[in-house]
Amino acid sequence: MSYPGYPPQSGGYPPQAGGYPPQPGAFPPQAGGYPPQTAGGYPPQAGGYPPQAGGYCPAAGGYPPAAGGYPPQAGGYPPAAGGFPPQSGGYQPQPGAGGFPSMPPAGGGWGTAPGGYGAPGGAPQGYPGGPAPGQPMPNYPKAPSPNPSMPGYGGGAPSHPQAPAISKGYRGSIKDFPGADPLRDVEVLRKAMKGFGTDENAIIELLGSRTNKQRVPMVAAYKTTYGKDLIHDLKSELTGNFEKLVLSMMMSPAHFAASELREAIKGAGTDEACLIEILSSRSNAEIQEINTIYKAEYGKKLEDAIISDTSGHFRRLLVSLCQGNRDERETVDISLVQQDAQKLYAAGENKVGTDESQFNAILCARSKPHLRAVFQEYQKMCGRDIEKSICREMSGNLESGMVAVVKCIRDTPAYFAERLHKAMKGAGTMDRTLIRIMVSRSEVDMLDIRQVYVKTYGKSLYTDISGDTSGDYKKLLLKLCGGTD
């Protein structure tokens, strides 16, 4: 191989026929090179390297018998003196630009954004303003596929991978009961409800020690065994918040979330906080399953229900979230982090008025690890927390919705701990919120929520539930909580 600029001093590869030839510019054939031309050296014995039988032979198609080592055709590393020259096809030194070469202006490549890698002149990256050519955002017109790659990611930029979060093991408070059998479990439920009165303690002990995947099959097992509907019997035997809690525990997570979204939308008024809570905390797969169930159960798409019940930029935020198309990669591209932080600053603090669409685009489309890095970069850039900037720039449901999305992405257990605290503090209790969070997070991150709760509010979640609820309702909630801290 001919490396230009290396002088022909002694020590090169030898001049055997068929090997790397002794043309000018290659490693020269002077004596004393590597290897020596004596028997026992390396090569030219049989099977050696190059031209003996079995070695790398001088036949056509090998590394090649053309003049100049690695041949000087256009696009290769040519045999000109002075380093890697600017022939077509190679990496060319850009006039006035040092460092990394500029890539073609395709989405996701090196630097077209301010402060990025390479020379300016490519298409701006990011969303909106927008995606690179040929990479429209999902669910926008002319999107190439239902779940395309997000603009600006990958494509050869020096990515700074962020290691996945260290797994702390199972963080739920309810664990699988060993050897649970739905046919035996429904006998306990039937006995608890049969005859005069109801054995609520038996129901609490049973349901409070089974995971969701062990509870849901009881519905079919009950009908198979007794020819009756378990949900109907539970409704006829239980009352109040205890009934609502038990019925919530008998649904799959996606069915429960769909029913809560339905309750938040239907009737007079809308529970905007419930909509944001569910849609900002679920994965793409969970949101898509919720969409499927919502349409099957209520005969209407969730997106259409949201559109008919909300308005303005808050509606856009919810519609974006309910698509279930957030980027879910774990790697973080630091150059794109800086771009997004600059875009958020330019759309809010550094602008008269606010470009809400830019906030919507970044908060709803980027991955959670990426957004956590963006929030940190934003803080360093303008000296203000992103939540405070949103509160300064927005108002009403949009403000509370955007802040909730930021909180949930930044620290999900802390977000739910705050929601639980607000549900119980002061006069009265927001029982629907309390039930929804305790049921939906009991097998996800309840142990983390408890830790954040006691650290933030000075009392354990167990203590606050005990002081704010009563009776069988309290007993079953404490089962879901799993213990004091």
Side-chain angles (χ1 to χ4, degrees):
M1 178 173 179
S2 174
Y3 283 104
Y6 282 78
Q9 65 270 30
S10 61
Y13 280 90
Q16 291 91 332
Y20 291 93
Q23 285 80 356
F27 286 95
Q30 285 81 348
Y34 176 25
Q37 308 304 312
T38 59
Y42 177 77
Q45 290 78 355
Y49 180 97
Q52 291 79 350
Y56 285 92
C57 59
Y63 273 95
Y70 281 80
Q73 55 266 44
Y77 290 101
F84 298 125
Q87 280 87 345
S88 61
Y91 284 104
Q92 306 182 26
Q94 302 298 318
F100 292 93
S102 72
M103 295 293 289
W110 285 338
T112 53
Y117 293 101
Q125 303 180 37
Y127 159 9
Q135 294 190 14
M137 291 299 297
N139 299 299
Y140 278 67
K142 300 183 181 177
S145 68
N147 193 17
S149 60
M150 307 301 287
Y153 280 85
S159 181
H160 293 248
Q162 177 170 315
I166 298 173
S167 174
K168 296 182 287 186
Y170 181 69
R171 302 302 293 164
S173 54
I174 302 292
K175 298 180 181 179
D176 282 336
F177 188 83
D181 180 354
L183 292 174
R184 290 202 304 267
D185 288 344
V186 296
E187 291 180 22
V188 175
L189 291 175
R190 177 63 177 163
K191 184 179 179 181
M193 294 186 288
K194 188 178 180 181
F196 181 75
T198 305
D199 186 353
E200 288 88 354
N201 284 330
I203 296 174
I204 292 168
E205 288 301 318
L206 178 70
L207 298 184
S209 60
R210 302 291 189 274
T211 57
N212 185 267
K213 69 180 182 182
Q214 293 176 326
R215 296 191 300 261
V216 171
M218 295 179 193
V219 177
Y222 192 87
K223 186 168 288 188
T224 300
T225 305
Y226 304 109
K228 300 185 71 178
D229 184 79
L230 175 58
I231 302 303
H232 179 271
D233 281 2
L234 288 170
K235 285 181 177 179
S236 66
E237 295 290 330
L238 310 177
T239 58
N241 287 321
F242 181 53
E243 175 194 341
K244 294 175 184 175
L245 176 56
V246 168
L247 296 179
S248 299
M249 293 174 68
M250 301 308 298
M251 289 187 273
S252 71
H255 271 91
F256 181 40
S259 70
E260 288 294 288
L261 290 169
R262 170 71 171 172
E263 288 295 321
I265 293 172
K266 76 173 187 179
T270 304
D271 187 350
E272 293 88 358
C274 171
L275 299 178
I276 286 289
E277 175 198 304
I278 293 174
L279 294 176
S280 64
S281 62
R282 303 309 197 260
S283 68
N284 287 347
E286 289 169 333
I287 290 174
Q288 287 158 10
E289 186 181 3
I290 290 167
N291 276 317
T292 301
I293 291 171
Y294 195 97
K295 178 71 184 303
E297 291 287 324
Y298 308 113
K300 188 177 185 179
K301 289 175 62 178
L302 174 60
E303 178 182 335
D304 293 338
I306 288 171
I307 289 172
S308 65
D309 209 55
T310 56
S311 61
H313 286 286
F314 181 64
R315 172 199 286 169
R316 296 185 194 179
L317 174 65
L318 292 173
V319 168
S320 294
L321 291 173
C322 81
Q323 301 309 305
N325 266 330
R326 181 184 297 280
D327 181 24
E328 291 187 330
R329 283 173 286 190
E330 291 293 325
T331 55
V332 175
D333 184 343
I334 193 62
S335 65
L336 189 60
V337 166
Q338 293 166 348
Q339 290 176 43
D340 282 350
Q342 289 166 356
K343 287 178 181 178
L344 290 175
Y345 180 60
E349 293 283 358
N350 200 32
K351 177 183 174 68
V352 177
T354 306
D355 183 357
E356 294 89 352
S357 294
Q358 188 71 269
F359 279 82
N360 194 88
I362 293 174
L363 293 179
C364 296
R366 301 303 197 200
S367 72
K368 293 184 178 182
H370 173 88
L371 286 172
R372 285 191 281 269
V374 169
F375 300 156
Q376 293 176 350
E377 183 67 23
Y378 184 91
Q379 174 86 38
K380 289 191 293 183
M381 181 181 299
C382 67
R384 181 173 285 119
D385 186 81
I386 185 72
E387 290 179 32
K388 292 183 179 177
S389 288
I390 290 172
C391 292
R392 284 162 54 94
E393 296 295 323
M394 302 175 194
S395 61
N397 288 332
L398 179 62
E399 175 193 341
S400 57
M402 289 279 188
V403 168
V405 171
V406 170
K407 286 180 176 179
C408 190
I409 288 170
R410 175 179 275 160
D411 188 339
T412 304
Y415 168 70
F416 281 111
E418 181 183 1
R419 294 276 293 153
L420 287 168
H421 183 68
K422 287 182 177 178
M424 292 184 285
K425 76 173 184 179
T429 304
M430 298 164 61
D431 291 293
R432 178 169 287 278
T433 300
L434 181 58
I435 291 170
R436 181 175 60 251
I437 296 175
M438 294 303 295
V439 172
S440 64
R441 310 309 292 187
S442 62
E443 297 176 42
V444 181
D445 53 2
M446 184 57 68
L447 300 184
D448 296 325
I449 293 171
R450 280 165 38 185
Q451 287 180 357
V452 175
Y453 195 97
V454 71
K455 181 178 179 181
T456 306
Y457 303 110
K459 289 195 296 184
S460 71
L461 177 60
Y462 192 97
T463 301
D464 274 357
I465 291 174
S466 297
D468 214 59
T469 58
S470 61
D472 298 320
Y473 175 49
K474 175 176 80 172
K475 292 177 185 177
L476 189 49
L477 281 174
L478 293 179
K479 280 276 192 180
L480 293 174
C481 182
T484 188
D485 293 279

